[in-house]
Amino acid sequence: MQRTAINAVILLSCSLFTVHCSRLLAQQPISAPHHLRKLAHTYSIVAYDSVSGDLGVAVQSKFPNVGGIVPWAQAGVGAVATQSLGNTAYGERGLELIAQGATAEEALRIIMRTDTMLQDRQVGMVDARGNAASFTGKTTFDWAGGRTGGAAGQTGGKGEVIVGRGYTAQANIMVSDQTVKNLAETFERSKGSLAERLMAALKAGQAGGGDKRGMQSAALLVVRKNGGYLGANDRFVDIRVYDARDPIAELERLLALHKLHFFPSEKTDLVTISPTIVAQLEPILLREPAGQSDKWLEAKQGRATPEFLEGLKNFMYWENYDVRVRMDGKIDRVVLDDILKKRSRS
C-alpha cells in the first residue's frame, strides 16, 4: 500500500477522533480496576488461512462469556482478540481501519494512540493479507506476552508491539510462557480447516498450564464469505461456551455438532443409496414422525425411488440436516451414521 494512502487512513482516523474518542471513553471504568479481580485472565490465538481465506479467533478464559468480549472478525477483512481489560474498540474500529486499507499493525497502533488505559490491554490482530500484530500492556499480570507467526515472527513481553505473518498468540496471567509456545507450535504443525487448527491450538495451550486461576469459558469464531447457514451470511463457525467446568471439552463437542449440522457434505463422504442403505432407513421413514398419523413414507419401496428420496428429504429437514440434503440418489455417510447411531440408543 502506498504511504500516501496510509497517511490518508491516519488523517481520516484523526478527523473522526471526537466520535471515536467518545466510544473509548464510554468503555473506561469510572475508577481503575483492582487488576487481579477485574482483568479477563485469557489466552487466545488469532489467525488467517491463506488457502481458504478464513479468518478466526479461538479463546479460553477464567471469565464468564469470553466469547461476548474477546473475538471479532469480518470476512475478507481481518480478525481481532481484545483481552485483559478488553476494549471492544480494537475489534470494531480495528476492523474498520483494516477495511479502509490499514495493515493489522497500523490499525493496532492507531487505536493505541487514543487508549487511556493502554497498559491494561492485550490485543492480537490479523488482516486478510496475512499481516499479524500483537500488543501486551505493561500492567498485565505475569505471565503475559505474545508470539506471532511466519519467518519474521516475534516473541514479546509487556509494553511491546510484535509483528509477523499468519497468526498471533497472546496470553496473560498464565502459569508460564508455555501456553503461548504451545498455541503457536501446535497451530504451525496442525492440518485441516482453520477451525480445526484453532481448536487444536486451544487444547494445546491449556496443556501448557493455562490460566493460573483455571478455566471458565471459551469461544471459537471463524468467518468465511457466504460460509454461514445456507450461504446467507459469513459466520462459518460462531460457538460460545458461557460457563463450564471444562469449557474446551464443551467447545470441542459443540464444534463437532456444528460441523454435522452446518457444514456442507465433503465429496468423499457421499455414497450411493443402495438397497442395503434403503433397508436401514426405510423402517425409520415408515414409523416416523412419532405421534403423527402421516409418516415420511407411506409404503415400503425396497429401493431409492422418487417416493423414498422425497420422504428421506423431508425427514432430513425435520432432523436438522438441512445443509446436507440432496436428491441425486446419494447420502452423506456422516449423516447416515448419525441417524443410525441415534436410533440405536433409543
Side-chain angles (χ1 to χ4, degrees):
M1 183 177 187
Q2 298 295 325
R3 295 315 309 172
T4 53
I6 294 298
N7 290 336
V9 171
I10 295 172
L11 287 171
L12 177 60
S13 176
C14 292
S15 69
L16 296 174
F17 173 79
T18 301
V19 174
H20 292 288
C21 186
S22 64
R23 290 186 191 176
L24 289 168
L25 290 174
Q27 297 181 60
Q28 311 306 328
I30 295 173
S31 59
H34 187 285
H35 288 80
L36 193 57
R37 294 177 182 172
K38 296 293 185 181
L39 300 188
H41 320 304
T42 305
Y43 67 87
S44 66
I45 180 165
V46 186
Y48 168 66
D49 186 329
S50 61
V51 176
S52 65
D54 291 354
L55 290 145
V57 182
V59 58
Q60 195 280 133
S61 181
K62 183 63 177 73
F63 193 86
N65 192 28
V66 71
I69 303 170
V70 172
W72 296 73
Q74 184 177 342
V77 177
V80 180
T82 173
Q83 57 200 50
S84 189
L85 188 63
N87 181 348
T88 56
Y90 285 96
E92 183 179 8
R93 181 63 179 142
L95 293 174
E96 287 177 359
L97 287 166
I98 293 172
Q100 291 167 9
T103 66
E105 180 187 2
E106 289 161 351
L108 177 60
R109 290 188 183 276
I110 288 170
I111 302 170
M112 286 171 65
R113 292 174 191 151
T114 56
D115 190 345
T116 60
M117 299 189 71
L118 178 62
Q119 299 308 325
D120 289 323
R121 315 296 191 195
Q122 189 170 58
V123 186
M125 284 191 184
V126 172
D127 62 46
R129 288 163 287 175
N131 302 299
S134 182
F135 169 75
T136 299
K138 293 178 181 179
T139 54
T140 54
F141 276 78
D142 291 333
W143 183 88
R147 177 169 163 177
T148 55
Q154 299 174 319
T155 299
K158 298 177 184 180
E160 296 181 75
V161 172
I162 56 175
V163 297
R165 297 284 302 171
Y167 73 88
T168 174
Q170 45 280 317
N172 63 89
I173 314 189
M174 295 294 109
V175 172
S176 72
D177 64 349
Q178 193 61 49
T179 286
V180 162
K181 288 180 180 178
N182 283 10
L183 283 167
E185 292 170 4
T186 300
F187 183 78
E188 287 175 0
R189 67 171 179 262
S190 61
K191 305 295 182 183
S193 69
L194 181 61
E196 292 165 338
R197 296 175 68 197
L198 290 173
M199 191 71 238
L202 202 66
K203 292 172 64 178
Q206 183 59 36
D211 193 311
K212 286 181 178 179
R213 301 205 315 173
M215 301 186 289
Q216 187 168 2
S217 67
L220 178 63
L221 173 64
V222 177
V223 293
R224 174 186 292 183
K225 187 65 177 175
N226 303 127
Y229 178 69
L230 298 177
N233 59 62
D234 299 338
R235 295 194 306 275
F236 189 50
V237 180
D238 188 358
I239 305 172
R240 301 176 185 182
V241 177
Y242 196 109
D243 179 53
R245 185 184 299 273
D246 189 342
I248 295 177
E250 178 64 3
L251 190 65
E252 188 172 34
R253 183 188 74 82
L254 293 174
L255 177 59
L257 189 64
H258 182 82
K259 289 168 67 176
L260 174 65
H261 291 287
F262 287 86
F263 282 19
S265 300
E266 298 286 344
K267 289 183 180 180
T268 54
D269 289 329
L270 298 178
V271 295
T272 299
I273 301 177
S274 64
T276 300
I277 293 176
V278 171
Q280 292 175 302
L281 294 175
E282 202 164 50
I284 298 170
L285 301 182
L286 288 167
R287 68 172 181 263
E288 294 186 21
Q292 296 192 35
S293 57
D294 292 333
K295 305 302 180 181
W296 302 124
L297 197 59
E298 292 183 357
K300 187 175 180 179
Q301 303 293 303
R303 58 189 180 87
T305 63
E307 290 79 9
F308 176 89
L309 294 177
E310 180 68 19
L312 179 60
K313 178 193 75 172
N314 292 332
F315 164 80
M316 287 180 65
Y317 278 128
W318 181 273
E319 295 292 326
N320 302 319
Y321 301 114
D322 303 18
V323 300
R324 302 192 186 222
V325 170
R326 51 196 315 113
M327 291 293 289
D328 59 357
K330 295 183 179 180
I331 190 171
D332 188 320
R333 71 173 80 239
V334 175
V335 171
L336 177 61
D337 290 345
D338 191 64
I339 292 170
L340 299 176
K341 182 172 67 174
K342 286 177 178 175
R343 279 148 186 84
S344 70
R345 295 196 301 258
S346 61

